[in-house]
């Protein structure tokens, strides 16, 4: 029985890896967003600090792989692939949520994250390390100073990859307060306090040093009405907990009812199982940081400008909930649960194939164009009027995968410069293989 399950797990890991690679190759721009351009540009110009919008952890990881001769684009893809493989390796080596990690990482939404140039790829790996360290403390495998050191360092590491780790730090402290009478309760509280002190230190000695106006520029009151935030929150949760489809049709339509409906039903099943089946102390920690992180992600929108909540932004907090959920499902249905991961991979492959475009062909076209114009190794600007014009923004994203030293400009006069590109300048000389299903 165990022998057969081992081969199921190996097969799923291999298929998930292949699917991750196909996810960015069968895409017109290699799954890069404006955020991805910023990450690659920051890695390209480092040690110059060009912004403090995100911490340096993910940028460092991209920069590391460039030392082996890769450009920033391929380095970012290796970070995603290694993040996935390291989660599975650690789960296997420590016998810690291996089955659950394999299934969770095979879900189409998480495959899309590992395939993209997102800091969430590395964040998921650091969150898994945090979950293991917390589990070891709860099980008293790490105690006293060692427990305090490991948990504090893991929280700080996660924050240095993504600022939303602040919510995980808060959730860790909250769990410690709830479990104050337990031996490990104080460890969680003091670790959260140490991490909080680090954040204060980080603010004064990094953010303020390079961007004194950061907090003032990004903290705004009443950006969106509560009615809109609640709708976006419900949609984000529904797609985040849909195991098969993690995005909805922006144009609306009846298909969205099915997508949101599956996600909502799954959330209700999760709540039912978590209430009906007793949670271990470790599982309670997972759920605490997951739920608190989701709630804080919603509340922060009243003060901080973010994209609408979706599978990507919520992934560090849904990840531990998925792990507990699959553990409970395995207890009931055993190996049959691998079918969920298999169906998700099939759905993802079908979606990717139907909406495919040839990234490698597009990259070659852009590369030839930039070389012909002597723009492949110089800082570039890309002129757009509105970030909402996705078709034009995607051209800049594709250019950024070849020359990562690119930034946006909204000044029409900049278009007179040779190093400022526009959609018209590019498309009058090359033809791109485009994705039909935007």
């Amino acid at each position: 029985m165990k022998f057969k399950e081992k081969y199921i797990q190996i097969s799923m890991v291999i298929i998930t890896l292949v699917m991750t690679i196909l996810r960015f190759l069968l895409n017109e721009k290699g799954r890069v967003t404006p955020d991805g351009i910023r990450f690659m540009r920051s890695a390209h110009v480092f040690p110059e600090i060009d912004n403090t919008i995100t911490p340096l952890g993910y940028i460092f990881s991209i920069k590391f792989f460039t030392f082996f001769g890769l450009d920033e684009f391929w380095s970012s893809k290796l970070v995603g692939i290694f993040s996935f493989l390291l989660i599975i390796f650690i789960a296997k080596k420590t016998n810690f949520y291996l089955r659950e990690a394999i299934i969770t990482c095979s879900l189409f939404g998480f495959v899309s994250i590992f395939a993209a140039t997102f800091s969430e790829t590395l964040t998921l790996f650091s969150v898994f390390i945090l979950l293991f360290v917390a589990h070891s403390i709860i099980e008293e495998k790490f105690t006293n100073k060692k427990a305090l050191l490991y948990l504090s360092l893991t929280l700080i590491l996660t924050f240095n990859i993504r600022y939303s780790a602040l919510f995980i730090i808060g959730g860790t402290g909250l769990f410690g307060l709830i479990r104050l009478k337990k031996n490990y309760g104080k460890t969680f509280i003091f670790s959260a306090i140490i991490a909080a002190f680090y954040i204060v230190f980080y603010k004064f000695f990094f953010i303020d040093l390079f961007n004194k106006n950061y907090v003032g520029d990004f903290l705004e009151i009443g950006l969106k009405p509560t009615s809109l935030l609640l709708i976006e929150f419900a949609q984000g949760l529904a797609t985040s907990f849909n195991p098969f489809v993690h995005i909805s049709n922006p144009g609306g339509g009846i298909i969205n009812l099915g997508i949101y409906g599956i996600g909502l039903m799954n959330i209700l099943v999760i709540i039912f199982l978590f209430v009906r089946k007793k949670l271990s102390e470790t599982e309670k920690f997972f759920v605490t940081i997951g739920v608190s992180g989701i709630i804080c992600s919603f509340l922060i929108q009243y003060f901080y400008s973010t994209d609408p909540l979706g599978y990507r932004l919520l992934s560090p907090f849904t990840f531990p909930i998925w792990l507990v959920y699959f553990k409970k499902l395995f207890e009931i249905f055993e190996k049959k649960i691998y079918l969920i991961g298999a169906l998700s991979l099939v759905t993802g492959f079908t979606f990717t194939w139907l909406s495919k475009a040839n990234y490698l062909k597009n990259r070659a076209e852009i590369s030839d164009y930039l070389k012909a114009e002597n723009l492949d190794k110089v800082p570039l600007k890309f002129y757009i009027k509105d970030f909402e014009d996705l078709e034009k923004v995607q051209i800049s994203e594709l250019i950024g995968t070849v020359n990562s030293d690119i930034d946006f400009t909204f000044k029409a006069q900049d278009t007179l410069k040779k190093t400022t590109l526009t959609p018209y300048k590019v498309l009058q000389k090359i033809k791109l293989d485009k994705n039909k299903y935007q």
Side-chain angles (χ1 to χ4, degrees):
M1 191 71 73
K2 290 289 184 182
F3 180 77
K4 290 183 179 179
E5 185 173 4
K6 176 183 176 182
Y7 279 91
I8 292 173
Q9 292 175 348
I10 292 173
S11 299
M12 289 206 66
V13 170
I14 293 173
I15 294 171
T16 301
L17 176 61
V18 171
M19 184 63 207
T20 301
I21 296 171
L22 290 176
R23 190 78 179 105
F24 62 78
L25 288 183
L26 297 181
N27 182 275
E28 74 270 32
K29 57 189 178 65
R31 285 197 54 76
V32 173
T33 66
D35 282 346
I37 290 178
R38 188 178 69 245
F39 288 130
M40 292 188 292
R41 186 182 70 247
S42 296
H44 182 81
V45 302
F46 185 83
E48 177 188 335
I49 306 297
D50 70 337
N51 72 80
T52 58
I53 296 174
T54 57
L56 296 177
Y58 182 60
I59 294 166
F60 279 158
S61 67
I62 294 175
K63 190 70 176 181
F64 171 77
F65 284 109
T66 63
F67 293 136
F68 298 94
L70 298 172
D71 61 22
E72 286 77 18
F73 173 80
W74 292 112
S75 294
S76 73
K77 299 311 172 188
L78 271 186
V79 173
I81 288 170
F82 275 108
S83 294
F84 160 62
L85 293 177
L86 285 171
I87 288 173
I88 304 303
F89 175 77
I90 292 172
K92 172 68 175 175
K93 202 73 175 174
T94 60
N95 194 29
F96 177 71
Y97 282 80
L98 175 61
R99 297 191 299 181
E100 295 78 11
I102 290 173
I103 296 294
T104 301
C105 291
S106 73
L107 298 181
F108 187 30
F110 287 100
V111 169
S112 293
I113 289 173
F114 289 123
T117 303
F118 289 159
S119 62
E120 283 82 3
T121 59
L122 196 61
T123 305
L124 290 174
F125 170 63
S126 68
V127 167
F128 191 73
I129 296 294
L130 171 66
L131 299 177
F132 172 70
V133 169
H135 168 72
S136 299
I137 293 172
I138 292 170
E139 295 294 314
E140 297 187 343
K141 294 176 182 176
F142 300 152
T143 58
N144 302 325
K145 293 180 180 178
K146 181 185 286 189
L148 182 65
L149 176 64
Y150 287 174
L151 187 56
S152 300
L153 288 178
T154 311
L155 290 171
I156 291 171
L157 168 67
T158 308
F159 178 81
N160 275 287
I161 299 170
R162 191 156 182 83
Y163 289 147
S164 61
L166 174 64
F167 308 148
I168 294 177
I169 293 169
T172 301
L174 175 63
F175 180 78
L177 284 173
I178 296 171
R179 292 289 180 270
L180 189 57
K181 293 182 180 180
K182 301 282 186 179
N183 293 334
Y184 53 79
K186 291 181 180 179
T187 300
F188 283 82
I189 293 173
F190 285 124
S191 295
I193 291 173
I194 291 172
F197 273 115
Y198 173 83
I199 293 172
V200 174
F201 175 86
Y202 179 92
K203 195 269 182 189
F204 286 111
F205 292 94
F206 177 72
I207 292 179
D208 286 356
L209 184 63
F210 294 101
N211 187 359
K212 290 183 179 180
N213 299 321
Y214 175 80
V215 175
D217 290 344
F218 281 87
L219 289 184
E220 300 180 52
I221 306 297
L223 293 168
K224 294 180 181 179
T226 300
S227 56
L228 177 59
L229 290 177
L230 286 173
I231 291 172
E232 291 179 348
F233 182 57
Q235 293 172 341
L237 275 181
T239 50
S240 296
F241 284 105
N242 184 322
F244 309 115
V245 181
H246 58 278
I247 51 178
S248 58
N249 181 4
I254 194 169
I255 191 172
N256 283 352
L257 295 178
I259 294 171
Y260 296 142
I262 292 173
L264 178 60
M265 285 176 55
N266 201 40
I267 291 171
L268 294 176
V269 174
I270 289 173
I271 294 171
F272 174 78
L273 284 179
F274 287 6
V275 172
R276 189 71 180 268
K277 295 183 74 69
K278 185 178 180 181
L279 299 180
S280 68
E281 288 297 297
T282 294
E283 291 166 350
K284 288 176 182 177
F285 173 73
F286 285 21
V287 173
T288 298
I289 64 169
V291 173
S292 63
I294 290 171
I295 293 173
C296 289
S297 295
F298 171 75
L299 295 176
I300 196 65
Q301 293 178 104
Y302 285 102
F303 312 100
Y304 187 83
S305 177
T306 67
D307 294 334
L309 294 180
Y311 78 101
R312 173 196 168 189
L313 296 182
L314 293 177
S315 61
F317 314 114
T318 61
F319 185 60
I321 295 175
W322 277 111
L323 292 176
V324 178
Y325 179 41
F326 281 127
K327 191 170 191 299
K328 297 306 176 187
L329 290 178
F330 269 115
E331 291 173 1
I332 300 171
F333 301 105
E334 299 181 338
K335 291 189 296 183
K336 298 183 184 71
I337 296 305
Y338 287 111
L339 285 172
I340 296 177
L343 287 172
S344 188
L345 287 169
V346 169
T347 304
F349 178 78
T350 303
F351 178 87
T352 301
W353 185 260
L354 289 174
S355 62
K356 72 180 184 296
N358 193 332
Y359 166 69
L360 293 179
K361 177 184 175 182
N362 287 343
R363 180 183 173 88
E365 289 277 351
I366 287 292
S367 182
D368 290 343
Y369 167 76
L370 293 178
K371 286 178 181 177
E373 301 292 327
N374 294 317
L375 298 173
D376 56 323
K377 291 182 168 60
V378 298
L380 301 176
K381 289 188 180 295
F382 191 87
Y383 172 73
I384 55 171
K385 291 182 179 179
D386 188 356
F387 268 124
E388 299 299 318
D389 194 342
L390 297 180
E391 191 169 346
K392 293 178 180 177
V393 170
Q394 285 170 352
I395 298 172
S396 69
E397 293 164 353
L398 181 57
I399 294 170
T401 69
V402 178
N403 182 349
S404 57
D405 197 357
I406 183 172
D407 203 355
F408 293 101
T409 179
F410 300 95
K411 300 176 182 178
Q413 60 266 32
D414 285 347
T415 60
L416 299 175
K417 302 174 184 177
K418 185 183 179 183
T419 54
T420 299
L421 298 177
T422 67
Y424 176 76
K425 282 184 181 179
V426 176
L427 293 180
Q428 72 173 343
K429 294 193 175 183
I430 65 173
K431 184 178 180 181
L432 301 176
D433 186 10
K434 296 185 66 177
N435 185 326
K436 301 175 186 177
Y437 299 92
Q438 294 297 326

